[in-house]
Amino acid sequence: MTAYCSEEYLSRDGLRQLQSIRLRTTLARAARSPFYSQRFAECGIDLNAITGPDDITRLPFTTKDDLRSAYPDRMLTRPASDMLRLHASSGTTGSATVIYYTRNDVDSWADLMARCMHMVGVRPEDTFQNMSGYGLFTGGLGIHYGAERLGCLTIPAGAGNSKRQLKLLEDFQVSVIHIIPSYALHLSATKEELGYTPERLNLRIALIGAEPHTEAIRQRIEDVYGLKAYNSYGLSEMNGPGVAFECVHQNGMHIWEDAYLPEIIDPETGEHVAEGETGELVITTLCREGMPLIRYRTRDLTRFLPGQCPCTRAHRRLDRIMGRSDDMIILKGVNIYPMQVEKVLMSIPEVGQNYLIVLEREGYLDQMRVKVEVKEEFFVEDMRVLKALQARISSRLRDEILITARVDLVENNSLPKSEGKAQRVLDLRNG
Ligand code: AMP
Ligand code: ZN
């Protein structure tokens, strides 16, 4: 594989040297923003004492609440009139936070994204269709600019309108798509209905990300569309997509350590976890001019995968995001991650595209109800068959999450769908 840029194959030592230089520049820049100049002063930080990545733990964390408190522009290193663009988070867990970009920021972001796409084999000859929402959400313009930077013919299809998406795919013989996993599954129903077989289409590669998904979901997407699907990780606070991305080996996402300094911490204590253990991902931007972020707590739970990737890139690999340190469900004193439920459901062949976890309260007792779509061919009249399936799902769930959940079987495609990120948990306990 050819390299997209010189940073892609830097050694660990090379990366460390670059990180040290870029960290010092970043801190000097950050100190020019009203927010960080105040924060550094309050914490008595001597920036001259920070010489490289090993000193990072002397610096305070930045949280989503800090971003909100600095709203709209107290984290900017220069006046807003010097900025070129702004984006906001999709509000996955609350009100929007805003990120500003200078011209150089937009430019280096496009390069990072192009590097990701190039790594999995996207080339200028490819035709690329971006099926994610445009507007403030970074999955639109962020990936769009990356594809254009590579030189692909780029179709900004946006989210939704399944029939039109499929027509564009066929008419322009699109070879590469960017799609949210839940929408990929949703679209597959229309695809089947209208008879768009993989042969009619010319798809090779899908970039899938923006929401947690399991290996089983990836495989379903690969099978249904006849392509290779690569996990793409990013968050608007860190530009958007282009932070970490799978290589062709599909065994964890290389985080681009020339642009991002990653740490994994115990969300309770804030201390680094032992090598290879799961914790919360914390990232410091190393290239950003307009709005650098220092030790930003992403709330995403993951771990560094041990060992060297066969591709020989030294940028460390993140495991699939397991969930967020703030989406954990506590039910009857038991901690549950929605991903655990998904893992069980997707391992059952009769289960269809969609599910919903509903948390309810009966008297003083919390209950979990899981509404599960059943594939059409299994949704039979015979109650005994369905009852047996229900019992099987319930018992498999109990093994995984230690809770007896009520299982409602519903018809395929009957649960409400969103064209953005899927809403997997409905908490009715305090309503
Ligand atoms: P936003 O800032 O609106 O783009 O949301 C970013 C969040 O989406 C991240 O912090 C993650 O929680 C989630 N996310 C993004 N990409 C992935 C991925 N590949 N796998 C799992 N979660 C993801
Ligand atoms: Zn690799």
Side-chain angles (χ1 to χ4, degrees):
M1 273 281 178
T2 49
Y4 175 77
C5 58
S6 55
E7 289 89 349
E8 193 173 340
Y9 283 96
L10 278 178
S11 64
R12 283 309 307 163
D13 280 351
L15 278 172
R16 263 192 112 65
Q17 272 173 25
L18 193 57
Q19 285 177 335
S20 300
I21 297 167
R22 290 186 170 172
L23 179 61
R24 289 198 298 267
T25 311
T26 297
L27 291 174
R29 259 188 214 134
R32 277 182 235 135
S33 73
F35 173 85
Y36 280 113
S37 72
Q38 188 184 344
R39 175 61 61 88
F40 292 159
E42 278 166 5
C43 300
I45 305 288
D46 173 11
L47 290 185
N48 293 320
I50 314 286
T51 58
D54 288 341
D55 302 320
I56 193 88
T57 51
R58 298 194 200 171
L59 295 166
F61 292 117
T62 306
T63 63
K64 196 143 190 138
D65 281 344
D66 290 330
L67 280 174
R68 291 196 184 110
S69 77
Y71 184 90
D73 58 8
R74 288 186 70 253
M75 280 193 186
L76 296 196
T77 57
R78 300 200 317 235
S81 56
D82 282 0
M83 304 292 150
L84 195 67
R85 199 192 299 164
L86 67 77
H87 278 285
S89 92
S90 62
T92 323
T93 52
S95 65
T97 43
V98 178
I99 301 296
Y100 293 73
Y101 308 72
T102 62
R103 184 175 296 281
N104 282 341
D105 291 337
V106 167
D107 207 50
S108 56
W109 180 20
D111 264 331
L112 280 168
M113 203 50 240
R115 193 199 297 185
C116 296
M117 294 173 72
H118 185 267
M119 174 165 67
V120 294
V122 184
R123 292 294 178 268
E125 308 76 67
D126 280 301
T127 299
F128 173 74
Q129 185 165 324
N130 191 3
M131 307 195 199
S132 104
Y134 274 64
L136 286 173
F137 177 53
T138 53
L141 288 177
I143 294 203
H144 183 104
Y145 271 60
E148 286 193 350
R149 177 61 51 92
L150 260 188
C152 299
L153 170 60
T154 303
I155 308 177
N161 200 340
S162 298
K163 282 190 183 153
R164 193 185 59 176
Q165 298 282 9
L166 291 161
K167 184 163 165 46
L168 290 170
L169 289 181
E170 182 176 47
D171 291 357
F172 300 101
Q173 287 292 289
V174 171
S175 48
V176 183
I177 54 174
H178 171 233
I179 190 163
I180 293 180
S182 53
Y183 184 61
L185 296 175
H186 174 51
L187 182 68
S188 71
T190 316
K191 174 182 165 299
E192 241 107 278
E193 204 179 292
L194 301 181
Y196 283 95
T197 54
E199 295 71 41
R200 265 175 80 181
L201 305 177
N202 185 37
L203 289 170
R204 247 169 25 88
I205 293 172
L207 328 177
I208 55 169
E211 66 184 7
H213 56 283
T214 53
E215 186 58 38
I217 291 277
R218 182 231 297 278
Q219 266 156 29
R220 272 196 192 187
I221 294 171
E222 292 194 335
D223 291 348
V224 169
Y225 292 92
L227 45 64
K228 282 276 169 204
Y230 298 99
N231 197 353
S232 157
Y233 171 76
L235 59 162
S236 42
E237 295 91 322
M238 293 292 134
N239 286 342
V243 176
F245 209 87
E246 278 180 336
C247 70
V248 292
H249 298 283
Q250 297 183 309
N251 57 359
M253 302 175 285
H254 290 283
I255 178 162
W256 298 123
E257 294 191 67
D258 54 305
Y260 301 100
L261 181 63
E263 305 167 66
I264 310 266
I265 62 159
D266 176 332
E268 297 296 317
T269 65
E271 303 287 327
H272 284 180
V273 297
E275 193 62 38
E277 270 181 26
T278 299
E280 180 182 331
L281 178 65
V282 170
I283 308 179
T284 301
T285 61
L286 292 174
C287 293
R288 239 184 11 207
E289 288 183 348
M291 192 173 157
L293 289 180
I294 313 299
R295 304 196 80 200
Y296 182 68
R297 292 191 58 162
T298 66
R299 296 283 169 192
D300 288 323
L301 298 176
T302 182
R303 66 187 181 114
F304 289 125
L305 291 174
Q308 165 80 51
C309 184
C311 76
T312 75
R313 288 177 185 87
H315 302 262
R316 277 176 293 176
R317 287 165 302 150
L318 299 178
D319 200 356
R320 199 172 272 291
I321 306 295
M322 286 184 41
R324 293 173 63 86
S325 62
D326 50 6
D327 80 350
M328 190 174 70
I329 300 167
I330 304 182
L331 196 85
K332 301 178 181 170
V334 179
N335 299 343
I336 302 161
Y337 287 105
M339 272 291 97
Q340 293 175 278
V341 175
E342 179 171 312
K343 202 175 87 192
V344 170
L345 295 179
M346 292 305 145
S347 70
I348 299 174
E350 292 92 332
V351 168
Q353 313 291 16
N354 237 320
Y355 68 93
L356 181 69
I357 301 169
V358 186
L359 305 174
E360 307 165 315
R361 182 159 291 164
E362 277 180 10
Y364 292 102
L365 212 58
D366 288 351
Q367 300 284 0
M368 180 189 285
R369 185 183 292 279
V370 185
K371 298 190 174 194
V372 183
E373 285 187 359
V374 178
K375 284 184 192 152
E376 222 164 277
E377 63 266 39
F378 297 109
F379 206 84
V380 288
E381 301 281 348
D382 190 342
M383 279 310 285
R384 279 169 309 181
V385 177
L386 289 177
K387 279 240 174 306
L389 174 61
Q390 211 170 18
R392 181 149 48 95
I393 295 175
S394 181
S395 116
R396 295 272 286 275
L397 278 174
R398 194 168 45 245
D399 290 345
E400 173 73 28
I401 60 176
L402 310 174
I403 289 273
T404 305
R406 295 183 180 160
V407 175
D408 291 354
L409 300 181
V410 300
E411 275 184 64
N412 211 15
N413 289 317
S414 66
L415 288 173
K417 299 201 179 55
S418 65
E419 282 175 346
K421 298 189 185 203
Q423 196 71 43
R424 298 300 196 193
V425 184
L426 186 61
D427 196 343
L428 302 175
R429 289 177 294 179
N430 295 315

